[in-house]
Amino acid sequence: MNDTILPRDLPTVLEARPDVRVLSLDCFDTLLWRDTHAPSDVFRVLEGPSPMQRIWAEQRARAGALLRHRRNEVGIAEIYAQLLPNADASVRQSMVAQELAAEARHCFGFAPVIALMRDAKARGLHVIIVSDTYLDAGQLGTLIANAAGDDVRALIDRIFCSSEFGMSKGEGLLAAVVKRLGVPAQTILHIGDNRAADLIGGQKAGVQALHLKQFTETTEQRLRLEAATGAMIHVGTTPPDRHSQPHRAPIALGEPQIDDAAEALGYTTIGPLLHGFARWVHAEAERLRANTPGGQVHILFLMRDGHLPRLAFDACLQDEAPTHATEISRFTATASSFRSEADVLAYLSGEMGSNVEAILKQLLFKPQEIAVILRDLPKQAPFPALLRAVRSAPRMKSILARSRAFADRLAAYLRATVAPAEGDVLMLVDLGYNGSVQNRVDRVLREMLQVGIAGRYLLLREQDMPGLDKTGFIDPQQYDAATLEALCGNVAVLEQLCTAAQGSVIDYTADGAAVRSANAIKGRQSETRDAVQRGTVRYVEDASAAIVRPTGPIDLAAMRSSAVAVLARLMFLPMPQELAVLAQFQHDVNLGVQDVVPLFDPAIGRRGLRQRGLFYMRGSERMYLPAELQGEGLAVKLTLLAQKRFGLGLKYADFIDQTITLPILIADGRTVDTATITATPTHDGYYIAPIPIDDCRYAIGLQFGQLYDWVQVESVTFMPVERFLSEQQRSGVEEVVAKPTLEGIEQTAPHLYRCEDAAAFMMIPPPPRRDARPMMLAVVFRPIALRAPSVPSQPALADTGLAAAR
């Protein structure tokens, strides 16, 4: 018979065991679960001792009990005697009470186990608890009542604690319980989460035993990485983070029932994140209602990225708070916002360096007008000429008139879909993270609709201080600027999972209908996203089903810290199964143009690491850099997380702890000189040797033979010096692949070379000169086998006279 049981199978386990007369259950992580990652995380909320002091005190108490009484088990009073050796009894009792109260706040009953207990009582079975714990039976019974309810405590006939027996389940506690009960061991079914204590210990006692398998190894790793990521994110936060994971129980119950990897991603990761967000949005809506006497608060989820948050909200609140799917994009918000020339110039000042055609579309020029303007702009440095063209009186007048008409159509759209009355509040809900839509439409909608505007965001990191009614589930009230910037850096992955499978809104009809662009995303991607969203909604619907606890206020702080850990883990430490789902995704930039870019490209990431190292991989094209680091080891991703989370001002030079002096030849067609270049490490044993070639007059010879028998050459490319030195690296941009010739070097495999002798070298002719910018050669290589030092030859024996002597 299988000795493992999943949570979903607990309620019906007795159906196949008619001979059972006593149901024996472990307590912690079986009947009672905690909403933290590890049991000791509860110690983080204790006032007075640090978590480590509490842990050390228990270790000393157990060591003392073993030394003096030859037992490993202790009671909580003995632990606090070690923690507070000079305190009187009343102080210790107060501290014990504090810990028990903390346990009661963070423990809850696990619904499948409670369903099993009710079934057992209906069958006339006795129900007992057998627990390895430092609590006594009275304390544990009270904790069960406080955490799961008096009705659950009433289902239990007896409680047996290791602290009172002086032995654990692994040391024979279950056998002692069998003896105490006076029933045949085989009529007892014991279930617990610890394989050694509950299954093996139960089998040794002769009882029927089952191991409750909470999670797969993959899930355990994901939760462990969440806790680790959360620990880094929440360093120094107040109050201290307790590694909250309120989603553990729902995931244990629901995840094994999901076979599709995309749906599992939604259930295990996006679901817990958006469940907390939904609860917070509802609380914010209630707060706004309390401050809006006589008016309504309309909850508007901004499409497209607000699509999945809205689905999660509706699943969570079950029509308690009606919502609207409102289509206002950055493009339409900006198009409606130009009231004066100053507004236009403010927009342009933030778009320097952007695509000129996209700028002109945003300013509402028609295609033929855009063609005329583009024709007259210089190819190099077009922005000053663009500014002059836009500021011409006829064109500026056209922009302002068209923007006013656009705003009228936006207002008509909102009247048709939301129908707000004067004095109402429109609560704009979105993922974030700057609130750009609200920045653009706040003034317009207030004036045109006579309503209040409030923005509520999952993640809010504003680039300025506009003074608008904005706040975020995750925002500067709880997290510092470096943390928020770190979370925003990879937000594209979340946007892709939350968006609606439709084109972005680009205009509105006069009677209030949204006009959308074509959807540039592939059908397969939409199917995958649908599965992720299905799993997300399923989690939100299930979130409360696994948890049994007396009714109390929702702990939004715990849901927030848990959500941040979940989000940061997905962004910086994605699991291989998740990346397999996300590999096909492209990102729509949502600016009124049909631009999509790959979400991530592991090949680019690997090449970038080898060519430049981790801290030069900060190009604007990297939408999801940690995904591109998959396969490079946890240390690399943790380094990136630490650098982003703490805003570490480290430079490339700080990571150079060794160099290679590479001998080279420099030829200009008339003379050949020798020199050396310092090569610095990048990643995985690779080095980069940057060699200036000025105006492309010099050929370079790489004298690998002096150093190596075997060498691996990743790339040999030319590029402008300014491109090499730029902190915004863009792989392949302005690079010219070199065409080397080999002298005394044999290529034995792609990138792998054998040097025949110390004179072997690789000659690289310069590229054709393109412009006046100085150029350089970048050589990325990895030593494979060093050349052995030459040993001076020994003179022949005959020459020394020793031959005759021999």
Side-chain angles (χ1 to χ4, degrees):
M1 183 177 293
N2 190 357
D3 57 14
T4 297
I5 187 168
L6 296 178
R8 66 184 181 188
D9 298 322
L10 284 167
T12 59
V13 69
L14 294 175
E15 293 178 1
R17 298 174 185 265
D19 55 336
V20 171
R21 293 292 175 264
V22 177
L23 174 64
S24 171
L25 297 169
D26 173 47
C27 184
F28 294 104
D29 292 319
T30 301
L31 170 58
L32 290 187
W33 289 41
R34 296 178 178 91
D35 59 10
T36 59
H37 176 68
S40 60
D41 289 332
V42 175
F43 301 155
R44 296 173 181 272
V45 304
L46 299 179
E47 293 185 8
S50 70
M52 288 309 303
Q53 287 175 321
R54 169 60 179 77
I55 292 170
W56 291 332
E58 183 173 342
Q59 292 173 347
R60 291 194 300 271
R62 292 184 183 276
L66 182 63
L67 180 65
R68 290 188 293 271
H69 307 295
R70 295 185 180 180
R71 58 178 170 83
N72 291 315
E73 298 303 302
V74 297
I76 194 170
E78 294 173 271
I79 295 172
Y80 275 88
Q82 290 291 328
L83 182 63
L84 303 165
N86 299 314
D88 59 35
S90 63
V91 173
R92 293 176 184 170
Q93 290 170 2
S94 175
M95 296 291 283
V96 168
Q98 179 194 195
E99 180 171 326
L100 293 175
E103 289 281 13
R105 289 195 304 273
H106 296 291
C107 285
F108 57 85
F110 190 43
V113 175
I114 295 172
L116 170 60
M117 294 167 67
R118 297 189 189 282
D119 183 54
K121 299 304 289 185
R123 295 171 183 269
L125 275 60
H126 285 280
V127 176
I128 66 172
I129 299 295
V130 183
S131 178
D132 286 343
T133 178
Y134 40 73
L135 305 183
D136 60 34
Q139 291 168 333
L140 187 55
T142 300
L143 175 59
I144 292 171
N146 291 338
D150 292 330
D151 58 330
V152 175
R153 174 64 183 88
L155 298 172
I156 302 168
D157 296 296
R158 299 181 70 176
I159 297 176
F160 301 93
C161 298
S162 62
S163 62
E164 295 180 304
F165 281 75
M167 68 178 74
S168 67
K169 283 177 279 190
E171 296 169 324
L173 175 59
L174 284 167
V177 169
V178 172
K179 184 177 180 180
R180 182 74 61 89
L181 292 175
V183 299
Q186 274 300 312
T187 65
I188 299 174
L189 171 62
H190 179 77
I191 302 175
D193 71 291
N194 189 302
R195 186 173 184 84
D198 295 303
L199 177 63
I200 298 176
Q203 290 172 341
K204 288 181 179 178
V207 305
Q208 301 181 50
L210 288 174
H211 172 223
L212 173 60
K213 181 71 172 176
Q214 295 175 303
F215 306 110
T216 65
E217 287 74 14
T218 298
T219 301
E220 289 177 349
Q221 182 186 26
R222 186 179 63 246
L223 294 171
R224 190 165 57 246
L225 291 176
E226 282 178 13
T229 307
M232 294 183 67
I233 290 291
H234 291 102
V235 169
T237 56
T238 303
D241 179 56
R242 56 182 180 269
H243 295 176
S244 298
Q245 289 185 339
H247 51 290
R248 289 172 62 85
I251 286 174
L253 183 57
E255 185 180 10
Q257 303 179 55
I258 300 174
D259 296 325
D260 182 81
E263 188 173 347
L265 170 59
Y267 196 92
T268 61
T269 301
I270 309 304
L273 170 65
L274 294 187
H275 180 232
F277 183 46
R279 289 292 185 187
W280 177 80
V281 167
H282 181 248
E284 286 294 302
E286 291 300 300
R287 187 178 65 80
L288 286 173
R289 288 190 180 98
N291 295 326
T292 311
Q296 293 189 50
V297 175
H298 304 273
I299 305 175
L300 279 57
F301 284 85
L302 298 184
M303 300 293 109
R304 298 173 292 174
D305 294 345
H307 173 68
L308 183 55
R310 184 186 182 223
L311 295 180
F313 183 92
D314 290 347
C316 181
L317 276 299
Q318 299 292 325
D319 299 325
E320 183 178 332
T323 62
H324 301 273
T326 301
E327 298 186 59
I328 307 177
S329 64
R330 280 184 293 166
F331 179 84
T332 61
T334 304
S336 66
S337 68
F338 302 126
R339 287 292 180 268
S340 65
E341 182 175 348
D343 293 334
V344 176
L345 296 180
Y347 163 73
L348 289 172
S349 68
E351 296 297 323
M352 294 184 64
S354 298
N355 179 277
V356 173
E357 184 176 357
I359 291 174
L360 293 172
K361 287 183 178 180
Q362 184 65 84
L363 294 174
L364 302 176
F365 287 106
K366 298 177 180 179
Q368 60 271 28
E369 296 171 332
I370 293 175
V372 171
I373 296 174
L374 290 177
R375 183 189 62 200
D376 296 335
L377 295 181
K379 292 184 178 180
Q380 297 293 331
F383 202 82
L386 172 66
L387 184 60
R388 289 192 298 271
V390 168
R391 295 191 71 178
S392 68
R395 286 177 175 147
M396 184 61 66
K397 182 179 179 180
S398 174
I399 293 170
L400 299 181
R402 290 171 181 175
S403 180
R404 170 67 69 173
F406 202 108
D408 289 338
R409 296 194 297 275
L410 170 59
Y413 165 73
L414 290 174
R415 291 189 184 100
T417 56
V418 181
E422 289 188 13
D424 287 355
V425 173
L426 303 183
M427 189 171 90
L428 310 180
V429 183
D430 201 359
L431 294 179
Y433 40 90
N434 184 48
S436 301
V437 168
Q438 184 181 356
N439 290 347
R440 298 296 186 187
V441 302
D442 191 286
R443 179 187 61 178
V444 172
L445 298 183
R446 286 179 186 275
E447 292 176 354
M448 300 189 73
L449 300 178
Q450 296 298 299
V451 295
I453 305 294
R456 297 297 180 262
Y457 302 94
L458 173 72
L459 175 60
L460 182 63
R461 185 271 289 132
E462 292 185 278
Q463 296 175 338
D464 55 11
M465 301 174 66
L468 305 179
D469 184 354
K470 286 186 191 178
T471 190
F473 184 47
I474 306 166
D475 73 0
Q477 297 179 69
Q478 298 88 24
Y479 298 96
D480 62 26
T483 300
L484 295 173
E485 188 64 26
L487 295 175
C488 289
N490 302 310
V491 77
V493 63
L494 183 62
E495 292 173 345
Q496 273 307 309
L497 295 175
C498 289
T499 194
Q502 62 189 42
S504 179
V505 61
I506 56 174
D507 205 343
Y508 310 95
T509 64
D511 58 354
V515 178
R516 302 171 186 154
S517 64
N519 184 10
I521 301 300
K522 298 176 182 177
R524 175 61 176 165
Q525 177 172 328
S526 294
E527 293 174 6
T528 301
R529 182 172 52 230
D530 289 345
V532 173
Q533 295 181 356
R534 187 167 58 249
T536 300
V537 173
R538 183 174 175 178
Y539 172 85
V540 174
E541 292 172 341
D542 291 350
S544 300
I547 297 172
V548 176
R549 67 188 343 157
T551 302
I554 296 173
D555 190 345
L556 286 176
M559 298 188 84
R560 176 184 291 110
S561 65
S562 172
V564 170
V566 167
L567 179 60
R569 199 279 308 158
L570 176 65
M571 287 185 167
F572 286 94
L573 305 178
M575 303 286 288
Q577 300 83 355
E578 295 167 338
L579 293 180
V581 172
L582 298 170
Q584 64 185 290
F585 274 65
Q586 292 180 314
H587 182 66
D588 184 348
V589 298
N590 192 24
L591 285 173
V593 293
Q594 295 295 311
D595 287 349
V596 294
V597 294
L599 195 57
F600 65 95
D601 187 335
I604 290 179
R606 188 177 306 109
R607 184 166 63 250
L609 280 173
R610 292 177 177 180
Q611 291 181 345
R612 303 307 302 274
L614 180 62
F615 287 90
Y616 270 110
M617 292 181 59
R618 297 188 292 232
S620 59
E621 295 177 350
R622 307 276 50 82
M623 306 296 295
Y624 192 14
L625 176 56
E628 298 180 346
L629 301 179
Q630 185 67 19
E632 304 300 332
L634 180 62
V636 175
K637 288 180 277 191
L638 284 177
T639 300
L640 178 64
L641 170 58
Q643 190 270 334
K644 296 293 187 181
R645 157 63 182 94
F646 298 107
L648 303 179
L650 299 173
K651 298 292 185 180
Y652 175 66
D654 300 323
F655 291 83
I656 299 175
D657 57 2
Q658 61 179 336
T659 60
I660 292 175
T661 301
L662 179 65
I664 64 172
L665 304 172
I666 304 174
D668 63 1
R670 298 188 303 273
T671 61
V672 177
D673 295 319
T674 61
T676 59
I677 285 291
T678 299
T680 54
T682 57
H683 176 72
D684 198 24
Y686 284 89
Y687 288 75
I688 184 168
I691 306 169
I693 61 168
D694 196 24
D695 56 359
C696 300
R697 77 175 72 173
Y698 300 109
I700 302 296
L702 306 173
Q703 296 182 283
F704 285 128
Q706 290 192 23
L707 303 180
Y708 312 116
D709 286 332
W710 292 85
V711 65
Q712 188 172 358
V713 180
E714 171 71 12
S715 63
V716 183
T717 55
F718 296 101
M719 67 184 70
V721 173
E722 66 180 31
R723 166 52 53 197
F724 179 81
L725 297 177
S726 172
E727 290 192 358
Q728 294 296 321
Q729 290 299 310
R730 302 172 67 186
S731 180
V733 174
E734 295 189 291
E735 293 182 5
V736 178
V737 177
K739 298 179 180 179
T741 59
L742 305 178
E743 298 293 339
I745 295 179
E746 176 189 5
Q747 183 173 2
T748 62
H751 304 287
L752 185 62
Y753 298 86
R754 184 181 69 84
C755 301
E756 296 176 357
D757 52 38
F761 65 94
M762 178 181 289
M763 200 70 188
I764 301 110
R769 188 175 183 182
R770 293 184 175 181
D771 52 43
R773 292 179 296 173
M775 297 289 287
M776 61 163 293
L777 172 67
V779 182
V780 178
F781 66 96
R782 177 165 64 178
I784 300 299
L786 299 178
R787 180 168 298 284
S790 60
V791 179
S793 59
Q794 297 295 324
L797 291 175
D799 294 337
T800 64
L802 294 177
R806 178 175 290 180

